[in-house]
Amino acid sequence: MRLKNFINGEWVESSSGSFAPNRNPADLDQVLCETPHSTEEETVAAIKAARKAFPKWKETPAPQRGRILFQAMKLLLDRLEDLARTLTSEEGKTLRDSRGEVQRAINVLEFTAGEGRKLRGATIPSEIPRTFIYTVREPIGVVGLITPWNFPVAIPVWKIAPALVSGNTVVFKPAELTPLCAVKLTEIFQEAGVPPGVLNLVLGSGKVVGHTIVNHPDVSGISFTGSNEVGCGIYEQGSRRGIRVQCEMGGKNPIVILEDADLDLALEGVIQGGYGSTGQRCTAASRVIIQESIAEKMLAELVKRIEKIRIGDGMNPETDMGPLVDKNQLNRVMEYIKIGKKEGARIVCGGERLQTTPHDRGFFVQPTLFDHVKASMRIASEEIFGPVVSVLRARNFEEAVELANAVPFGLSASIYTQDISKAMRFVDLAEVGKVHINSSTIGGEAQAPFGGTKATGIGPREQGLEVFEFYTEIKTVYLDYTGKKRDSSFY
């Protein structure tokens, strides 16, 4: 099956003549589809279709736009299992995780659709008699949405939904590794009633499709999720044109475990955060900072739990951890494991690729745990994006906070403690956009803002009400209802 682009309400085969096989990372013999390397001309056609559709979509009342999103939510709910299975086959995560991701997308649609009746402005008192000041929110225009492979359903939805309900038109470029999820999502929005040109999908590379979107004069905003290197480049290019840019990038998220913590709860948080979704989350708990007095006990129990993780095809209901997404990601993870050894960290368990039956046809690696990691080591400060967890030891709460903040990123952090004073002090001091108390670094809800500080994020937050700070402009209106000439002294 060869995938097509969706431009101006039509499914169109790419004219490039170049296609790449999309393989199941758990079984490389299984080719799911062929993905086109779309051209600059095809990307421009999608942008122009979005630009042409914008005036009419902008004039469509926001409650009507919201009704279309509600319909998309119903369709997604009906197809939850089908899309979850597609996600597992294409990206590799367990079917349980895939179902959770699709449900997250459903929740986002439900929340965002309701905002079609609540896109808020404000009334403001004037210092001038008989003058009414109010604000309205207006769409910014054509937005380019560039999404990653690790959450190929939830992240596109949490960008597309607020863009559409705000009245923008969209050019959507998904990751090359997960095009089938993008096609199925686009089909859902099409069936829900999104008019031609309002949502366009172009499959292809960042160098061609992404570059064209970022630099085209008809595109008024870019929302990107992915690597820091690419995100900073997009921000630089977008800022030259004076357009809006929103980037969610890397994370190196800590779990702090103090000596009074509920250890069973903390152990579960490390397993979920460090090895869930094969560690391929921007919110993954890749650093565990343990108070020295409980470190040996904690590590012994942690190793027991890691050794029970069942690795395999995510379609198998017995599987706890699936493969890495592709060969590049596998090579990256294995290289960081070598770096950790060379730096002097001690591997407690894992550290090897699995290459014997039944793992010989996929990109499987053992869940890996390093101990005696120093903050200065690369494995403690650079994003690995795989099932590799580094343990750092802290003498006390103050040192734990210092270690937690000793990275360039600032997305998520977690603390396990029964001391409410220390928990809330950690909330004050953690240099992140999201803090969890007695739960892992992962997770979030549709109605709450999502994003990070430092090198993690550029621009307004995603999700929650804050998302509309990116997708809308505020227009201020002064209504003079005196009906006669003003005394100039009022001005």
Side-chain angles (χ1 to χ4, degrees):
M1 174 178 61
R2 284 187 169 178
L3 300 183
K4 297 179 180 181
N5 294 319
F6 187 67
I7 299 174
N8 201 28
E10 300 289 339
W11 289 99
V12 184
E13 187 165 336
S14 174
S15 62
S16 70
S18 177
F19 294 83
N22 181 27
R23 299 182 185 274
N24 182 339
D27 182 359
L28 300 177
D29 293 336
Q30 183 184 8
V31 178
L32 305 172
C33 59
E34 291 186 314
T35 311
H37 296 123
S38 298
T39 65
E40 179 182 350
E41 291 73 21
E42 289 163 336
T43 311
V44 170
I47 294 168
K48 290 189 177 299
R51 185 68 189 88
K52 184 177 180 181
F54 174 65
K56 187 174 180 180
W57 184 242
K58 176 184 176 182
E59 293 298 320
T60 301
Q64 291 185 26
R65 302 193 295 253
R67 277 198 289 271
I68 291 174
L69 294 190
F70 271 123
Q71 183 60 29
M73 180 199 74
K74 293 175 185 176
L75 292 170
L76 189 54
L77 186 59
D78 290 341
R79 299 175 195 179
L80 188 155
E81 186 65 18
D82 173 69
L83 195 51
R85 296 181 78 84
T86 298
L87 202 168
T88 291
S89 295
E90 192 169 49
E91 195 269 354
K93 65 180 63 175
T94 65
L95 195 52
R96 181 178 58 253
D97 281 350
S98 293
R99 289 176 181 136
E101 178 176 340
V102 178
Q103 184 60 55
R104 174 75 174 273
I106 291 167
N107 296 347
V108 169
L109 281 168
E110 181 182 40
F111 170 77
T112 310
E115 289 304 304
R117 293 189 177 274
K118 297 185 290 184
L119 283 174
R120 296 166 179 83
T123 59
I124 303 166
S126 174
E127 64 185 27
I128 305 170
R130 298 182 186 178
T131 296
F132 177 40
I133 305 175
Y134 67 97
T135 63
V136 293
R137 289 191 175 274
E138 295 188 341
I140 63 175
V142 178
V143 293
L145 307 181
I146 302 174
T147 61
W149 50 260
N150 63 322
F151 281 86
V153 174
I155 291 178
V157 167
W158 81 47
K159 293 180 187 291
I160 292 170
L164 293 183
V165 82
S166 299
N168 302 287
T169 54
V170 170
V171 180
F172 168 33
K173 183 232 165 308
E176 294 174 76
L177 294 174
T178 50
L180 195 51
C181 285
V183 166
K184 291 195 172 189
L185 272 180
T186 303
E187 288 173 344
I188 285 172
F189 281 105
Q190 179 190 18
E191 291 181 42
V194 173
V198 171
L199 173 61
N200 304 272
L201 168 70
V202 186
L203 304 171
S205 70
K207 290 182 178 179
V208 176
V209 178
H211 179 81
T212 303
I213 292 171
V214 170
N215 290 284
H216 197 280
D218 285 341
V219 175
S220 301
I222 303 290
S223 182
F224 166 84
T225 300
S227 72
N228 284 73
E229 180 183 4
V230 175
C232 289
I234 288 173
Y235 180 67
E236 182 180 358
Q237 290 171 292
S239 64
R240 286 198 192 104
R241 295 205 296 112
I243 65 171
R244 291 196 176 187
V245 179
Q246 176 190 61
C247 295
E248 286 298 332
M249 300 176 287
K252 193 69 177 175
N253 312 292
I255 290 180
V256 171
I257 304 172
L258 300 184
E259 60 187 0
D260 67 339
D262 181 324
L263 293 191
D264 283 336
L265 196 63
L267 286 164
E268 186 62 26
V270 174
I271 296 296
Q272 289 180 353
Y275 304 111
S277 296
T278 323
Q280 296 176 129
R281 301 178 179 182
C282 56
T283 55
S286 55
R287 295 183 296 142
V288 178
I289 301 165
I290 307 176
Q291 195 163 352
E292 185 70 54
S293 58
I294 59 166
E296 293 300 331
K297 179 181 179 181
M298 183 78 186
L299 279 166
E301 291 300 317
L302 185 55
V303 169
K304 290 178 186 178
R305 299 208 183 193
I306 292 172
E307 290 175 343
K308 292 178 181 178
I309 294 174
R310 294 163 295 190
I311 304 164
D313 189 333
M315 287 293 189
N316 185 338
E318 300 297 315
T319 295
D320 298 313
M321 192 180 91
L324 292 161
V325 71
D326 72 346
K327 186 176 182 179
N328 289 335
Q329 197 60 29
L330 175 70
N331 290 341
R332 177 185 177 90
V333 170
M334 297 310 298
E335 180 62 26
Y336 269 105
I337 290 172
K338 289 180 183 177
I339 289 169
K341 293 176 180 177
K342 187 175 180 180
E343 289 179 316
R346 181 171 71 88
I347 283 195
V348 180
C349 59
E352 300 293 334
R353 180 181 180 183
L354 299 174
Q355 300 187 69
T356 58
T357 305
H359 302 106
D360 54 321
R361 296 200 305 270
F363 300 117
F364 295 98
V365 66
Q366 293 175 327
T368 300
L369 182 69
F370 279 99
D371 188 19
H372 295 292
V373 178
K374 306 300 181 185
S376 58
M377 294 179 180
R378 290 179 62 188
I379 60 169
S381 60
E382 298 178 11
E383 188 174 43
I384 299 172
F385 227 62
V388 179
V389 173
S390 296
V391 172
L392 297 86
R393 302 183 181 213
R395 293 185 301 273
N396 50 41
F397 171 75
E398 289 74 19
E399 186 177 21
V401 172
E402 183 179 345
L403 289 171
N405 290 335
V407 292
F409 305 104
L411 179 53
S412 183
S414 167
I415 186 168
Y416 284 84
T417 179
Q418 302 302 310
D419 187 331
I420 188 64
S421 297
K422 287 181 178 175
M424 294 310 296
R425 188 61 181 147
F426 185 73
V427 171
D428 292 340
L429 297 173
E431 297 171 353
V432 294
K434 184 162 71 86
V435 179
H436 294 258
I437 300 171
N438 291 324
S439 62
S440 193
T441 55
I442 59 177
E445 298 189 30
Q447 69 274 20
F450 178 89
T453 62
K454 301 196 288 189
T456 289
I458 296 170
R461 293 287 192 265
E462 298 198 274
Q463 300 188 79
L465 294 178
E466 285 76 7
V467 72
F468 297 106
E469 297 300 320
F470 178 76
Y471 289 106
T472 62
E473 296 274 12
I474 293 178
K475 179 179 286 183
T476 304
V477 181
Y478 291 81
L479 173 60
D480 182 333
Y481 58 94
T482 58
K484 59 183 180 180
K485 183 179 179 181
R486 287 280 192 187
D487 185 330
S488 61
S489 64
F490 283 120
Y491 297 91

